[in-house]
Amino acid sequence: MTVIQWTAMALLPFIYAARLSNACGTIKKLGLEIRTRPFGYQDAAQADLDSFLLFTSSFAPRAKLFRIPISAAYLWGALVIFCFILFLLAQQGVISSGVF
C-alpha cells in the first residue's frame, strides 16, 4: 500500500500542472471568443473588451515542472511509452509475468 501512496504523491504535481495548462488555454480561448463575438457584451466598453483580450493573451498557457512544460498530451504519451516498455520487459522475462 505504501508504494501506491508514494506513486500517487509523485504523480499528483504532474496531474495538477496538466490541469493548470488546460485551464490557462481555456481562458486564452475565452478572451479571443469574447473579443470576436461581443454580442453578449454589447453594454461593455470597447476599452474593457480590449483590456480583457490583452490580459488573456498575455497568459503563459504552459505550466512547468523542472523547466519542462507539462500538458495532458505529454502525460498520456509518457504513460503509453511506460506501459509499452513494461510490456516488453515482461515479454523478455526481465520482469516476472506472475506479477501481472
Side-chain angles (χ1 to χ4, degrees):
M1 189 66 164
T2 306
V3 174
I4 295 171
Q5 290 173 344
W6 279 102
T7 305
M9 285 191 297
L11 291 178
L12 210 58
F14 292 98
I15 293 169
Y16 279 116
R19 291 182 66 191
L20 178 65
S21 293
N22 187 23
C24 288
T26 302
I27 289 174
K28 194 170 190 175
K29 288 178 189 175
L30 178 68
L32 291 173
E33 184 177 318
I34 287 175
R35 181 63 183 102
T36 56
R37 289 188 262 160
F39 302 117
Y41 304 94
Q42 291 175 350
D43 297 335
Q46 190 70 24
D48 290 342
L49 292 175
D50 288 340
S51 65
F52 184 69
L53 175 65
L54 183 64
F55 172 71
T56 58
S57 66
S58 67
F59 265 12
R62 298 276 182 184
K64 292 183 179 180
L65 290 175
F66 308 112
R67 295 188 182 239
I68 299 171
I70 304 295
S71 70
Y74 293 156
L75 291 180
W76 281 111
L79 180 68
V80 167
I81 290 171
F82 176 75
C83 289
F84 183 71
I85 290 172
L86 194 66
F87 176 72
L88 285 177
L89 290 175
Q91 288 292 320
Q92 295 295 324
V94 176
I95 300 174
S96 65
S97 299
V99 174
F100 300 109

